[in-house]
C-alpha cells in the first residue's frame, strides 16, 4: 500500500474537575457524560473506515476514547505512555487565574515563550515534542494500512507543527476540539496534513 491514512484524534471531553479553566496536563480524569457520547460517535465514524489498529495515550480520557473507537472489531488499543499530554508539574489541577495571581512572573514568561518555558517540575512544549514526535514516527513505521492515534491537544499540536513545519511558538493557532479528527495522508516517506480538527466526518 503506497498511500495510507493516519487519523490523529483528540480524546473526547474529560470530566471537568472545576467549572473554571484549569491546567489538566497529566491529571487523569475519565470522560464526562458528553465525552462518552462523543467517544461512542467516534466509534460509529470509524466503523466505516478500513482501520487496522488503534494507538492511545495511557491517560484514561484518551484510552477510553480509543477503546470505543476500536470496539469489537479492533479490540483493545495499543497503549503508549509517550503519547501522554504535557506534564505541567506543580501547575496541574490549578486554574489559570490561580497561577496568574500566585505565579505572575512565570505565567507571563510562559506566555512570551510558550515553546520553551517549563512550569515548575514540568515540561515545555519543546520537551513534549522531543518525546512525542519520535513516538509518532515509531508507530507509523511499525504499522501498515490506516491507523488511529488517540492523544491530547498538546500532543496533537506538536505533531501537526512538526508535519506542517510550523514553529512551536504557533502551536495554539491549531485548534483541537474534544473528539476532533486530524487526517494525515502518508505516501511513502511524504506526509500531507489533509484535514485539521474535523468533527465526526471523514472524506
Amino acid at each position: 500500500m503506497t498511500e495510507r491514512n493516519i487519523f490523529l484524534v483528540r480524546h473526547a471531553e474529560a470530566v471537568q474537575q472545576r467549572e473554571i479553566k484549569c491546567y489538566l496536563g497529566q491529571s487523569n480524569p475519565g470522560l464526562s457524560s458528553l465525552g462518552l457520547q462523543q467517544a461512542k460517535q467516534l466509534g460509529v465514524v470509524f466503523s466505516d473506515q478500513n482501520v487496522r489498529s488503534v494507538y492511545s495515550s495511557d491517560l484514561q480520557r484518551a484510552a477510553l476514547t480509543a477503546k470505543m473507537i476500536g470496539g469489537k472489531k479492533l479490540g483493545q488499543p495499543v497503549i503508549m505512555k509517550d503519547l501522554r499530554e504535557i506534564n505541567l508539574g506543580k501547575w496541574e489541577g490549578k486554574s489559570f487565574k490561580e497561577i496568574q495571581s500566585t505565579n505572575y512572573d512565570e505565567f507571563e514568561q510562559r506566555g512570551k515563550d510558550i515553546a520553551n518555558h517549563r512550569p515548575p517540575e514540568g515540561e515545555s512544549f519543546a520537551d513534549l515534542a522531543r518525546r512525542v514526535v519520535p513516538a509518532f514516527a515509531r508507530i507509523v513505521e511499525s504499522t501498515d494500512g490506516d491507523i488511529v492515534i488517540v492523544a491530547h491537544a498538546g500532543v496533537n499540536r506538536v505533531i501537526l507543527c512538526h508535519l506542517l513545519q510550523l514553529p512551536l511558538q504557533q502551536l495554539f493557532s491549531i485548534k483541537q476540539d474534544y473528539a476532533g479528527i486530524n487526517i494525515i495522508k502518508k505516501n511513502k516517506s511524504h506526509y500531507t496534513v489533509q484535514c485539521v480538527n474535523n468533527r465526526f466526518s471523514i472524506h
Side-chain angles (χ1 to χ4, degrees):
M1 181 181 291
T2 56
E3 186 175 76
R4 55 191 295 214
N5 294 308
I6 300 157
F7 300 108
L8 181 63
V9 180
R10 186 185 180 192
H11 61 79
E13 184 186 82
V15 173
Q16 305 298 310
Q17 296 174 316
R18 299 188 187 183
E19 292 182 1
I20 54 177
K21 197 161 186 180
C22 294
Y23 292 101
L24 189 58
Q26 293 187 2
S27 303
N28 201 18
L31 296 179
S32 68
S33 56
L34 175 59
L36 289 169
Q37 293 175 36
Q38 292 171 338
K40 183 177 180 180
Q41 181 62 35
L42 285 171
V44 173
V45 169
F46 282 106
S47 67
D48 291 334
Q49 300 298 310
N50 188 27
V51 172
R52 293 192 181 183
S53 54
V54 181
Y55 286 75
S56 175
S57 155
D58 66 339
L59 297 178
Q60 62 174 335
R61 58 190 185 272
L64 288 170
T65 303
K67 184 177 179 180
M68 294 181 79
I69 289 173
K72 293 180 180 179
K73 180 180 176 182
L74 296 171
Q76 294 291 331
V78 179
I79 300 297
M80 291 189 65
K81 186 176 178 180
D82 282 343
L83 294 175
R84 279 187 179 191
E85 182 60 291
I86 188 170
N87 179 357
L88 293 170
K90 290 187 174 181
W91 289 13
E92 294 208 0
K94 296 182 179 178
S95 71
F96 288 17
K97 187 175 181 180
E98 182 180 355
I99 295 300
Q100 189 174 17
S101 62
T102 60
N103 296 267
Y104 181 78
D105 289 344
E106 289 238 24
F107 184 87
E108 286 290 295
Q109 288 170 22
R110 190 170 194 255
K112 291 175 182 175
D113 188 7
I114 196 66
N116 298 298
H117 182 269
R118 294 186 183 104
E121 299 181 16
E123 292 178 302
S124 67
F125 280 105
D127 294 329
L128 179 65
R130 284 188 284 270
R131 165 162 63 83
V132 165
V133 171
F136 174 80
R138 288 196 302 272
I139 292 170
V140 174
E141 289 165 9
S142 65
T143 55
D144 295 308
D146 295 353
I147 61 172
V148 174
I149 299 173
V150 182
H152 306 267
V155 171
N156 293 359
R157 285 177 173 131
V158 298
I159 291 170
L160 291 169
C161 279
H162 172 72
L163 296 177
L164 294 167
Q165 298 184 325
L166 290 175
L168 286 177
Q169 203 68 25
Q170 295 181 25
L171 87 167
F172 282 110
S173 68
I174 302 173
K175 192 170 184 181
Q176 290 293 282
D177 292 326
Y178 289 122
I181 304 167
N182 307 286
I183 305 174
I184 301 160
K185 296 277 187 182
K186 184 176 186 292
N187 194 329
K188 297 182 180 178
S189 61
H190 181 70
Y191 291 90
T192 302
V193 179
Q194 185 180 53
C195 180
V196 173
N197 203 40
N198 193 316
R199 297 306 306 276
F200 301 139
S201 60
I202 301 171
H203 304 288

